[in-house]
Amino acid sequence: MQIEPLPRQRRKEARPAEIIEAALLLFHQKGYSATKLDDIARFAGVTKGTVYLYFSSKEALFKAAILETIQPNLDRIEEAVMSSQASATQRLKTAMSSWASSMNECKGSITKLMIAEAGNFPELSDFYIETVVKRSRKLLIHLIQAGIDSGEFRPIDADMLARTIFSPILLTSIWRHTYAKLDPITYSLNQLSDFHLDIIFNGIALSEQS
Amino acid sequence: MQIEPLPRQRRKEARPAEIIEAALLLFHQKGYSATKLDDIARFAGVTKGTVYLYFSSKEALFKAAILETIQPNLDRIEEAVMSSQASATQRLKTAMSSWASSMNECKGSITKLMIAEAGNFPELSDFYIETVVKRSRKLLIHLIQAGIDSGEFRPIDADMLARTIFSPILLTSIWRHTYAKLDPITYSLNQLSDFHLDIIFNGIALSEQS
DNA sequence: ATTTAATAACTAACCAGTCAGTTATTAAAT
DNA sequence: ATTTAATAACTGACTGGTTAGTTATTAAAT
């Protein structure tokens, strides 16, 4: 059985996005080094030569894939949350809900990729940490501090709490992208986030324990 | 300037452990594919040929590194926690403290490695999930259920809570092993775990919100 | 002297990146 | 309308560097 090559097509506009999508999928599945450019090209329905028409190197393709995916999500959440006039509690819930939703699509994949390849792309890691991670954390810390100031929350280390609040959905997102078959997670990131926030606000103890 | 080769030594017993240690460090830093066997060998103070005296392939070395590192930690915690007669609250604190400590040494590195390479080593991932992850989670769920049964905790989804409780130290451990310089975390895993558990038990709300 | 741990030079395969050639598409000319 | 010429998107065979794995040789240890 012979694979019949599809008829050649010229689609200059669609190629880069298709190649990036293929690259993201394979990088995520196998890691950067283990992913062959031939595979990416085949997956995108082109040949390796075409990839090099649009991206100067494998590394450039990797960086483009990361940036193109993150960029669109960056501003949306921040604006949605900062414009609200509700209580800190409510705004925290809204923010986490937005994050949980966006993680479902692509961000989890990116997070995993960045962790796996951080050692090989230090400059890209730097960009990611500064532009995505610290910016997100700053937003969370702001909301937590607002809650403390308004008397909604007891005084507490806001940086520590921000990291704590984020951890479950971030790790679960990575987890689901990694061990979907071996360790399936039945509930959604939104459910998990709601569950965690409810506990954070109210605790689980029936009587006082300290 | 010429590098003077060290005098040859015959240390049959020490070699495997040294090679595994070097491999773990480099796999963790650069990922499996990007790590060269020559580098591992040089780091371990031997040459590539010597590596092949003790490990049949790069993949075998990778698996050995994972297993040798996990195995010793596996039984210790479970026994320490299960033998206790204290309250569920106290046992949960003890268990998480033990986990946090063990993560500091090596487990964080393993967790990150497994996530990064899961796609390339499905059988190893299966072993890891079944032997390490599910076993740990089962222990946590057991303690949580004991707390619910004893009236210490309000009724709650134990599986969800187990994942939630674990997330911060797991993610922070991965994070620290990945972004130590770019996004340093000032407090210890034990501090973070204590902080999170305190909130889980008591919440942060000053007045009732729900 | 014999054994064997360790070496270092070697091989074979793989893969990122190149480029000469092919074909789809556009448009000018008839 | 049809043919023809020009353009540029796309291909796939090739190459050079790299690296997992092998083996003939060396030297440490008994």
PDB file of all heavy atoms in Angstrom, chain C residues 13-26:
ATOM      1  P    DA C  13      23.036   1.489   9.767  1.00  0.00           P
ATOM      2  OP1  DA C  13      22.434   0.140   9.671  1.00  0.00           O
ATOM      3  OP2  DA C  13      23.539   2.175   8.557  1.00  0.00           O
ATOM      4  O5'  DA C  13      22.001   2.440  10.507  1.00  0.00           O
ATOM      5  C5'  DA C  13      21.923   2.403  11.924  1.00  0.00           C
ATOM      6  C4'  DA C  13      21.419   3.727  12.438  1.00  0.00           C
ATOM      7  O4'  DA C  13      22.506   4.688  12.485  1.00  0.00           O
ATOM      8  C3'  DA C  13      20.326   4.354  11.559  1.00  0.00           C
ATOM      9  O3'  DA C  13      19.268   4.740  12.408  1.00  0.00           O
ATOM     10  C2'  DA C  13      21.026   5.540  10.903  1.00  0.00           C
ATOM     11  C1'  DA C  13      22.064   5.918  11.960  1.00  0.00           C
ATOM     12  N9   DA C  13      23.239   6.618  11.445  1.00  0.00           N
ATOM     13  C8   DA C  13      23.981   6.314  10.345  1.00  0.00           C
ATOM     14  N7   DA C  13      24.999   7.125  10.138  1.00  0.00           N
ATOM     15  C5   DA C  13      24.911   8.034  11.176  1.00  0.00           C
ATOM     16  C6   DA C  13      25.701   9.142  11.537  1.00  0.00           C
ATOM     17  N6   DA C  13      26.768   9.545  10.852  1.00  0.00           N
ATOM     18  N1   DA C  13      25.342   9.836  12.644  1.00  0.00           N
ATOM     19  C2   DA C  13      24.262   9.435  13.333  1.00  0.00           C
ATOM     20  N3   DA C  13      23.452   8.404  13.099  1.00  0.00           N
ATOM     21  C4   DA C  13      23.842   7.738  11.995  1.00  0.00           C
ATOM     22  P    DC C  14      17.859   5.159  11.779  1.00  0.00           P
ATOM     23  OP1  DC C  14      16.850   4.194  12.204  1.00  0.00           O
ATOM     24  OP2  DC C  14      18.058   5.467  10.342  1.00  0.00           O
ATOM     25  O5'  DC C  14      17.613   6.527  12.543  1.00  0.00           O
ATOM     26  C5'  DC C  14      18.392   6.821  13.717  1.00  0.00           C
ATOM     27  C4'  DC C  14      18.622   8.307  13.791  1.00  0.00           C
ATOM     28  O4'  DC C  14      19.853   8.663  13.122  1.00  0.00           O
ATOM     29  C3'  DC C  14      17.515   9.142  13.128  1.00  0.00           C
ATOM     30  O3'  DC C  14      17.049  10.070  14.068  1.00  0.00           O
ATOM     31  C2'  DC C  14      18.208   9.799  11.941  1.00  0.00           C
ATOM     32  C1'  DC C  14      19.649   9.867  12.423  1.00  0.00           C
ATOM     33  N1   DC C  14      20.693   9.940  11.357  1.00  0.00           N
ATOM     34  C2   DC C  14      21.685  10.931  11.434  1.00  0.00           C
ATOM     35  O2   DC C  14      21.672  11.710  12.379  1.00  0.00           O
ATOM     36  N3   DC C  14      22.623  10.988  10.468  1.00  0.00           N
ATOM     37  C4   DC C  14      22.604  10.110   9.457  1.00  0.00           C
ATOM     38  N4   DC C  14      23.557  10.206   8.534  1.00  0.00           N
ATOM     39  C5   DC C  14      21.601   9.097   9.355  1.00  0.00           C
ATOM     40  C6   DC C  14      20.673   9.051  10.311  1.00  0.00           C
ATOM     41  P    DC C  15      15.570  10.707  13.894  1.00  0.00           P
ATOM     42  OP1  DC C  15      14.863  10.586  15.180  1.00  0.00           O
ATOM     43  OP2  DC C  15      14.983  10.170  12.653  1.00  0.00           O
ATOM     44  O5'  DC C  15      15.903  12.228  13.672  1.00  0.00           O
ATOM     45  C5'  DC C  15      16.940  12.853  14.435  1.00  0.00           C
ATOM     46  C4'  DC C  15      17.408  14.118  13.743  1.00  0.00           C
ATOM     47  O4'  DC C  15      18.403  13.791  12.749  1.00  0.00           O
ATOM     48  C3'  DC C  15      16.293  14.850  12.992  1.00  0.00           C
ATOM     49  O3'  DC C  15      16.465  16.232  13.227  1.00  0.00           O
ATOM     50  C2'  DC C  15      16.577  14.512  11.537  1.00  0.00           C
ATOM     51  C1'  DC C  15      18.103  14.487  11.562  1.00  0.00           C
ATOM     52  N1   DC C  15      18.740  13.777  10.431  1.00  0.00           N
ATOM     53  C2   DC C  15      19.984  14.226   9.981  1.00  0.00           C
ATOM     54  O2   DC C  15      20.517  15.189  10.533  1.00  0.00           O
ATOM     55  N3   DC C  15      20.576  13.582   8.943  1.00  0.00           N
ATOM     56  C4   DC C  15      19.964  12.541   8.367  1.00  0.00           C
ATOM     57  N4   DC C  15      20.578  11.934   7.355  1.00  0.00           N
ATOM     58  C5   DC C  15      18.685  12.072   8.818  1.00  0.00           C
ATOM     59  C6   DC C  15      18.115  12.720   9.846  1.00  0.00           C
ATOM     60  P    DA C  16      15.170  17.212  13.361  1.00  0.00           P
ATOM     61  OP1  DA C  16      14.607  17.100  14.722  1.00  0.00           O
ATOM     62  OP2  DA C  16      14.307  16.976  12.191  1.00  0.00           O
ATOM     63  O5'  DA C  16      15.857  18.636  13.223  1.00  0.00           O
ATOM     64  C5'  DA C  16      16.934  18.966  14.083  1.00  0.00           C
ATOM     65  C4'  DA C  16      17.923  19.866  13.380  1.00  0.00           C
ATOM     66  O4'  DA C  16      18.582  19.131  12.314  1.00  0.00           O
ATOM     67  C3'  DA C  16      17.325  21.099  12.728  1.00  0.00           C
ATOM     68  O3'  DA C  16      18.262  22.170  12.859  1.00  0.00           O
ATOM     69  C2'  DA C  16      17.163  20.681  11.266  1.00  0.00           C
ATOM     70  C1'  DA C  16      18.329  19.738  11.061  1.00  0.00           C
ATOM     71  N9   DA C  16      18.093  18.646  10.112  1.00  0.00           N
ATOM     72  C8   DA C  16      17.021  17.801  10.088  1.00  0.00           C
ATOM     73  N7   DA C  16      17.085  16.896   9.134  1.00  0.00           N
ATOM     74  C5   DA C  16      18.288  17.153   8.501  1.00  0.00           C
ATOM     75  C6   DA C  16      18.940  16.552   7.411  1.00  0.00           C
ATOM     76  N6   DA C  16      18.454  15.505   6.739  1.00  0.00           N
ATOM     77  N1   DA C  16      20.130  17.066   7.023  1.00  0.00           N
ATOM     78  C2   DA C  16      20.620  18.115   7.697  1.00  0.00           C
ATOM     79  N3   DA C  16      20.104  18.775   8.742  1.00  0.00           N
ATOM     80  C4   DA C  16      18.924  18.244   9.093  1.00  0.00           C
ATOM     81  P    DG C  17      17.840  23.685  12.498  1.00  0.00           P
ATOM     82  OP1  DG C  17      18.683  24.583  13.296  1.00  0.00           O
ATOM     83  OP2  DG C  17      16.374  23.779  12.568  1.00  0.00           O
ATOM     84  O5'  DG C  17      18.297  23.822  10.982  1.00  0.00           O
ATOM     85  C5'  DG C  17      19.696  23.797  10.697  1.00  0.00           C
ATOM     86  C4'  DG C  17      19.914  23.636   9.215  1.00  0.00           C
ATOM     87  O4'  DG C  17      19.445  22.339   8.785  1.00  0.00           O
ATOM     88  C3'  DG C  17      19.205  24.656   8.314  1.00  0.00           C
ATOM     89  O3'  DG C  17      20.204  25.297   7.524  1.00  0.00           O
ATOM     90  C2'  DG C  17      18.255  23.819   7.472  1.00  0.00           C
ATOM     91  C1'  DG C  17      19.009  22.488   7.449  1.00  0.00           C
ATOM     92  N9   DG C  17      18.203  21.337   7.084  1.00  0.00           N
ATOM     93  C8   DG C  17      17.024  20.906   7.652  1.00  0.00           C
ATOM     94  N7   DG C  17      16.545  19.827   7.089  1.00  0.00           N
ATOM     95  C5   DG C  17      17.456  19.523   6.087  1.00  0.00           C
ATOM     96  C6   DG C  17      17.472  18.466   5.132  1.00  0.00           C
ATOM     97  O6   DG C  17      16.654  17.563   4.987  1.00  0.00           O
ATOM     98  N1   DG C  17      18.580  18.545   4.298  1.00  0.00           N
ATOM     99  C2   DG C  17      19.560  19.521   4.363  1.00  0.00           C
ATOM    100  N2   DG C  17      20.543  19.434   3.477  1.00  0.00           N
ATOM    101  N3   DG C  17      19.559  20.508   5.240  1.00  0.00           N
ATOM    102  C4   DG C  17      18.485  20.444   6.071  1.00  0.00           C
ATOM    103  P    DT C  18      19.826  26.355   6.355  1.00  0.00           P
ATOM    104  OP1  DT C  18      20.798  27.462   6.407  1.00  0.00           O
ATOM    105  OP2  DT C  18      18.376  26.614   6.425  1.00  0.00           O
ATOM    106  O5'  DT C  18      20.115  25.518   5.041  1.00  0.00           O
ATOM    107  C5'  DT C  18      21.358  24.842   4.901  1.00  0.00           C
ATOM    108  C4'  DT C  18      21.495  24.308   3.477  1.00  0.00           C
ATOM    109  O4'  DT C  18      20.618  23.165   3.300  1.00  0.00           O
ATOM    110  C3'  DT C  18      21.107  25.301   2.372  1.00  0.00           C
ATOM    111  O3'  DT C  18      22.104  25.225   1.358  1.00  0.00           O
ATOM    112  C2'  DT C  18      19.731  24.813   1.903  1.00  0.00           C
ATOM    113  C1'  DT C  18      19.857  23.311   2.112  1.00  0.00           C
ATOM    114  N1   DT C  18      18.577  22.579   2.354  1.00  0.00           N
ATOM    115  C2   DT C  18      18.304  21.469   1.598  1.00  0.00           C
ATOM    116  O2   DT C  18      19.039  21.049   0.726  1.00  0.00           O
ATOM    117  N3   DT C  18      17.105  20.853   1.912  1.00  0.00           N
ATOM    118  C4   DT C  18      16.194  21.229   2.881  1.00  0.00           C
ATOM    119  O4   DT C  18      15.164  20.590   3.059  1.00  0.00           O
ATOM    120  C5   DT C  18      16.555  22.407   3.631  1.00  0.00           C
ATOM    121  C7   DT C  18      15.629  22.899   4.704  1.00  0.00           C
ATOM    122  C6   DT C  18      17.715  23.016   3.343  1.00  0.00           C
ATOM    123  P    DC C  19      22.234  26.398   0.278  1.00  0.00           P
ATOM    124  OP1  DC C  19      23.676  26.680   0.158  1.00  0.00           O
ATOM    125  OP2  DC C  19      21.284  27.483   0.606  1.00  0.00           O
ATOM    126  O5'  DC C  19      21.744  25.706  -1.070  1.00  0.00           O
ATOM    127  C5'  DC C  19      21.998  24.318  -1.285  1.00  0.00           C
ATOM    128  C4'  DC C  19      21.166  23.822  -2.456  1.00  0.00           C
ATOM    129  O4'  DC C  19      19.935  23.247  -1.951  1.00  0.00           O
ATOM    130  C3'  DC C  19      20.731  24.924  -3.430  1.00  0.00           C
ATOM    131  O3'  DC C  19      20.700  24.384  -4.740  1.00  0.00           O
ATOM    132  C2'  DC C  19      19.316  25.253  -2.971  1.00  0.00           C
ATOM    133  C1'  DC C  19      18.835  23.860  -2.612  1.00  0.00           C
ATOM    134  N1   DC C  19      17.677  23.827  -1.685  1.00  0.00           N
ATOM    135  C2   DC C  19      16.854  22.702  -1.693  1.00  0.00           C
ATOM    136  O2   DC C  19      17.103  21.784  -2.465  1.00  0.00           O
ATOM    137  N3   DC C  19      15.797  22.674  -0.841  1.00  0.00           N
ATOM    138  C4   DC C  19      15.568  23.697  -0.010  1.00  0.00           C
ATOM    139  N4   DC C  19      14.533  23.618   0.805  1.00  0.00           N
ATOM    140  C5   DC C  19      16.419  24.858   0.004  1.00  0.00           C
ATOM    141  C6   DC C  19      17.443  24.871  -0.841  1.00  0.00           C
ATOM    142  P    DA C  20      21.550  25.091  -5.905  1.00  0.00           P
ATOM    143  OP1  DA C  20      22.962  24.957  -5.533  1.00  0.00           O
ATOM    144  OP2  DA C  20      20.975  26.429  -6.188  1.00  0.00           O
ATOM    145  O5'  DA C  20      21.257  24.131  -7.144  1.00  0.00           O
ATOM    146  C5'  DA C  20      21.433  22.711  -6.990  1.00  0.00           C
ATOM    147  C4'  DA C  20      20.248  21.975  -7.586  1.00  0.00           C
ATOM    148  O4'  DA C  20      19.115  22.079  -6.674  1.00  0.00           O
ATOM    149  C3'  DA C  20      19.747  22.501  -8.924  1.00  0.00           C
ATOM    150  O3'  DA C  20      19.350  21.398  -9.727  1.00  0.00           O
ATOM    151  C2'  DA C  20      18.566  23.374  -8.543  1.00  0.00           C
ATOM    152  C1'  DA C  20      17.991  22.581  -7.373  1.00  0.00           C
ATOM    153  N9   DA C  20      17.201  23.375  -6.438  1.00  0.00           N
ATOM    154  C8   DA C  20      17.409  24.671  -6.047  1.00  0.00           C
ATOM    155  N7   DA C  20      16.535  25.110  -5.183  1.00  0.00           N
ATOM    156  C5   DA C  20      15.691  24.025  -4.977  1.00  0.00           C
ATOM    157  C6   DA C  20      14.551  23.849  -4.159  1.00  0.00           C
ATOM    158  N6   DA C  20      14.057  24.796  -3.367  1.00  0.00           N
ATOM    159  N1   DA C  20      13.944  22.651  -4.198  1.00  0.00           N
ATOM    160  C2   DA C  20      14.438  21.695  -4.994  1.00  0.00           C
ATOM    161  N3   DA C  20      15.504  21.743  -5.807  1.00  0.00           N
ATOM    162  C4   DA C  20      16.091  22.945  -5.738  1.00  0.00           C
ATOM    163  P    DG C  21      18.835  21.592 -11.224  1.00  0.00           P
ATOM    164  OP1  DG C  21      19.531  20.604 -12.088  1.00  0.00           O
ATOM    165  OP2  DG C  21      18.902  23.039 -11.544  1.00  0.00           O
ATOM    166  O5'  DG C  21      17.317  21.149 -11.131  1.00  0.00           O
ATOM    167  C5'  DG C  21      17.017  19.884 -10.539  1.00  0.00           C
ATOM    168  C4'  DG C  21      15.550  19.836 -10.182  1.00  0.00           C
ATOM    169  O4'  DG C  21      15.272  20.831  -9.166  1.00  0.00           O
ATOM    170  C3'  DG C  21      14.586  20.138 -11.350  1.00  0.00           C
ATOM    171  O3'  DG C  21      13.657  19.078 -11.434  1.00  0.00           O
ATOM    172  C2'  DG C  21      13.933  21.460 -10.950  1.00  0.00           C
ATOM    173  C1'  DG C  21      13.995  21.375  -9.421  1.00  0.00           C
ATOM    174  N9   DG C  21      13.887  22.642  -8.727  1.00  0.00           N
ATOM    175  C8   DG C  21      14.719  23.742  -8.836  1.00  0.00           C
ATOM    176  N7   DG C  21      14.348  24.743  -8.070  1.00  0.00           N
ATOM    177  C5   DG C  21      13.205  24.273  -7.416  1.00  0.00           C
ATOM    178  C6   DG C  21      12.367  24.905  -6.462  1.00  0.00           C
ATOM    179  O6   DG C  21      12.464  26.036  -5.991  1.00  0.00           O
ATOM    180  N1   DG C  21      11.323  24.071  -6.058  1.00  0.00           N
ATOM    181  C2   DG C  21      11.118  22.796  -6.520  1.00  0.00           C
ATOM    182  N2   DG C  21      10.071  22.156  -6.025  1.00  0.00           N
ATOM    183  N3   DG C  21      11.896  22.184  -7.409  1.00  0.00           N
ATOM    184  C4   DG C  21      12.913  22.977  -7.814  1.00  0.00           C
ATOM    185  P    DT C  22      12.562  19.040 -12.587  1.00  0.00           P
ATOM    186  OP1  DT C  22      12.532  17.662 -13.098  1.00  0.00           O
ATOM    187  OP2  DT C  22      12.790  20.185 -13.488  1.00  0.00           O
ATOM    188  O5'  DT C  22      11.201  19.293 -11.796  1.00  0.00           O
ATOM    189  C5'  DT C  22      10.881  18.479 -10.660  1.00  0.00           C
ATOM    190  C4'  DT C  22       9.529  18.909 -10.118  1.00  0.00           C
ATOM    191  O4'  DT C  22       9.660  20.203  -9.464  1.00  0.00           O
ATOM    192  C3'  DT C  22       8.433  19.071 -11.165  1.00  0.00           C
ATOM    193  O3'  DT C  22       7.260  18.449 -10.659  1.00  0.00           O
ATOM    194  C2'  DT C  22       8.286  20.584 -11.298  1.00  0.00           C
ATOM    195  C1'  DT C  22       8.614  21.050  -9.895  1.00  0.00           C
ATOM    196  N1   DT C  22       9.120  22.449  -9.757  1.00  0.00           N
ATOM    197  C2   DT C  22       8.502  23.283  -8.869  1.00  0.00           C
ATOM    198  O2   DT C  22       7.547  22.959  -8.199  1.00  0.00           O
ATOM    199  N3   DT C  22       9.048  24.545  -8.799  1.00  0.00           N
ATOM    200  C4   DT C  22      10.134  25.039  -9.511  1.00  0.00           C
ATOM    201  O4   DT C  22      10.529  26.183  -9.360  1.00  0.00           O
ATOM    202  C5   DT C  22      10.730  24.102 -10.429  1.00  0.00           C
ATOM    203  C7   DT C  22      11.911  24.525 -11.250  1.00  0.00           C
ATOM    204  C6   DT C  22      10.202  22.863 -10.507  1.00  0.00           C
ATOM    205  P    DT C  23       6.009  18.171 -11.650  1.00  0.00           P
ATOM    206  OP1  DT C  23       5.461  16.838 -11.333  1.00  0.00           O
ATOM    207  OP2  DT C  23       6.406  18.521 -13.020  1.00  0.00           O
ATOM    208  O5'  DT C  23       4.972  19.253 -11.123  1.00  0.00           O
ATOM    209  C5'  DT C  23       4.595  19.248  -9.748  1.00  0.00           C
ATOM    210  C4'  DT C  23       3.811  20.513  -9.430  1.00  0.00           C
ATOM    211  O4'  DT C  23       4.684  21.662  -9.462  1.00  0.00           O
ATOM    212  C3'  DT C  23       2.671  20.828 -10.403  1.00  0.00           C
ATOM    213  O3'  DT C  23       1.574  21.259  -9.640  1.00  0.00           O
ATOM    214  C2'  DT C  23       3.238  21.972 -11.237  1.00  0.00           C
ATOM    215  C1'  DT C  23       4.026  22.702 -10.165  1.00  0.00           C
ATOM    216  N1   DT C  23       5.069  23.644 -10.627  1.00  0.00           N
ATOM    217  C2   DT C  23       5.203  24.857  -9.993  1.00  0.00           C
ATOM    218  O2   DT C  23       4.508  25.196  -9.059  1.00  0.00           O
ATOM    219  N3   DT C  23       6.197  25.667 -10.497  1.00  0.00           N
ATOM    220  C4   DT C  23       7.051  25.384 -11.551  1.00  0.00           C
ATOM    221  O4   DT C  23       7.890  26.185 -11.912  1.00  0.00           O
ATOM    222  C5   DT C  23       6.850  24.091 -12.169  1.00  0.00           C
ATOM    223  C7   DT C  23       7.709  23.700 -13.324  1.00  0.00           C
ATOM    224  C6   DT C  23       5.885  23.301 -11.689  1.00  0.00           C
ATOM    225  P    DA C  24       0.049  21.063 -10.121  1.00  0.00           P
ATOM    226  OP1  DA C  24      -0.529  19.860  -9.491  1.00  0.00           O
ATOM    227  OP2  DA C  24       0.027  21.216 -11.580  1.00  0.00           O
ATOM    228  O5'  DA C  24      -0.625  22.338  -9.450  1.00  0.00           O
ATOM    229  C5'  DA C  24      -0.516  22.512  -8.044  1.00  0.00           C
ATOM    230  C4'  DA C  24      -0.620  23.991  -7.708  1.00  0.00           C
ATOM    231  O4'  DA C  24       0.516  24.693  -8.265  1.00  0.00           O
ATOM    232  C3'  DA C  24      -1.862  24.689  -8.249  1.00  0.00           C
ATOM    233  O3'  DA C  24      -2.392  25.509  -7.219  1.00  0.00           O
ATOM    234  C2'  DA C  24      -1.348  25.507  -9.434  1.00  0.00           C
ATOM    235  C1'  DA C  24       0.080  25.800  -9.023  1.00  0.00           C
ATOM    236  N9   DA C  24       1.045  25.938 -10.123  1.00  0.00           N
ATOM    237  C8   DA C  24       1.314  25.020 -11.102  1.00  0.00           C
ATOM    238  N7   DA C  24       2.261  25.402 -11.944  1.00  0.00           N
ATOM    239  C5   DA C  24       2.635  26.643 -11.476  1.00  0.00           C
ATOM    240  C6   DA C  24       3.601  27.576 -11.933  1.00  0.00           C
ATOM    241  N6   DA C  24       4.380  27.382 -12.994  1.00  0.00           N
ATOM    242  N1   DA C  24       3.723  28.718 -11.234  1.00  0.00           N
ATOM    243  C2   DA C  24       2.948  28.916 -10.172  1.00  0.00           C
ATOM    244  N3   DA C  24       2.006  28.119  -9.648  1.00  0.00           N
ATOM    245  C4   DA C  24       1.905  26.985 -10.358  1.00  0.00           C
ATOM    246  P    DT C  25      -3.820  26.212  -7.372  1.00  0.00           P
ATOM    247  OP1  DT C  25      -4.416  26.366  -6.027  1.00  0.00           O
ATOM    248  OP2  DT C  25      -4.554  25.528  -8.463  1.00  0.00           O
ATOM    249  O5'  DT C  25      -3.408  27.662  -7.884  1.00  0.00           O
ATOM    250  C5'  DT C  25      -2.536  28.451  -7.068  1.00  0.00           C
ATOM    251  C4'  DT C  25      -2.110  29.691  -7.823  1.00  0.00           C
ATOM    252  O4'  DT C  25      -1.190  29.338  -8.883  1.00  0.00           O
ATOM    253  C3'  DT C  25      -3.252  30.451  -8.507  1.00  0.00           C
ATOM    254  O3'  DT C  25      -3.400  31.701  -7.856  1.00  0.00           O
ATOM    255  C2'  DT C  25      -2.807  30.583  -9.975  1.00  0.00           C
ATOM    256  C1'  DT C  25      -1.300  30.325  -9.882  1.00  0.00           C
ATOM    257  N1   DT C  25      -0.638  29.772 -11.095  1.00  0.00           N
ATOM    258  C2   DT C  25       0.378  30.500 -11.685  1.00  0.00           C
ATOM    259  O2   DT C  25       0.763  31.577 -11.269  1.00  0.00           O
ATOM    260  N3   DT C  25       0.939  29.908 -12.797  1.00  0.00           N
ATOM    261  C4   DT C  25       0.594  28.708 -13.371  1.00  0.00           C
ATOM    262  O4   DT C  25       1.162  28.286 -14.366  1.00  0.00           O
ATOM    263  C5   DT C  25      -0.483  28.003 -12.703  1.00  0.00           C
ATOM    264  C7   DT C  25      -0.947  26.675 -13.245  1.00  0.00           C
ATOM    265  C6   DT C  25      -1.052  28.563 -11.607  1.00  0.00           C
ATOM    266  P    DT C  26      -4.569  32.723  -8.333  1.00  0.00           P
ATOM    267  OP1  DT C  26      -5.083  33.416  -7.121  1.00  0.00           O
ATOM    268  OP2  DT C  26      -5.507  32.034  -9.241  1.00  0.00           O
ATOM    269  O5'  DT C  26      -3.733  33.786  -9.178  1.00  0.00           O
ATOM    270  C5'  DT C  26      -2.475  34.248  -8.682  1.00  0.00           C
ATOM    271  C4'  DT C  26      -1.800  35.115  -9.727  1.00  0.00           C
ATOM    272  O4'  DT C  26      -1.184  34.275 -10.745  1.00  0.00           O
ATOM    273  C3'  DT C  26      -2.728  36.066 -10.472  1.00  0.00           C
ATOM    274  O3'  DT C  26      -2.156  37.368 -10.479  1.00  0.00           O
ATOM    275  C2'  DT C  26      -2.834  35.470 -11.868  1.00  0.00           C
ATOM    276  C1'  DT C  26      -1.466  34.811 -12.019  1.00  0.00           C
ATOM    277  N1   DT C  26      -1.382  33.686 -12.991  1.00  0.00           N
ATOM    278  C2   DT C  26      -0.361  33.682 -13.927  1.00  0.00           C
ATOM    279  O2   DT C  26       0.477  34.542 -13.979  1.00  0.00           O
ATOM    280  N3   DT C  26      -0.368  32.598 -14.773  1.00  0.00           N
ATOM    281  C4   DT C  26      -1.275  31.555 -14.792  1.00  0.00           C
ATOM    282  O4   DT C  26      -1.180  30.645 -15.617  1.00  0.00           O
ATOM    283  C5   DT C  26      -2.319  31.628 -13.794  1.00  0.00           C
ATOM    284  C7   DT C  26      -3.365  30.549 -13.736  1.00  0.00           C
ATOM    285  C6   DT C  26      -2.331  32.676 -12.950  1.00  0.00           C
TER     286       DT C  26
END
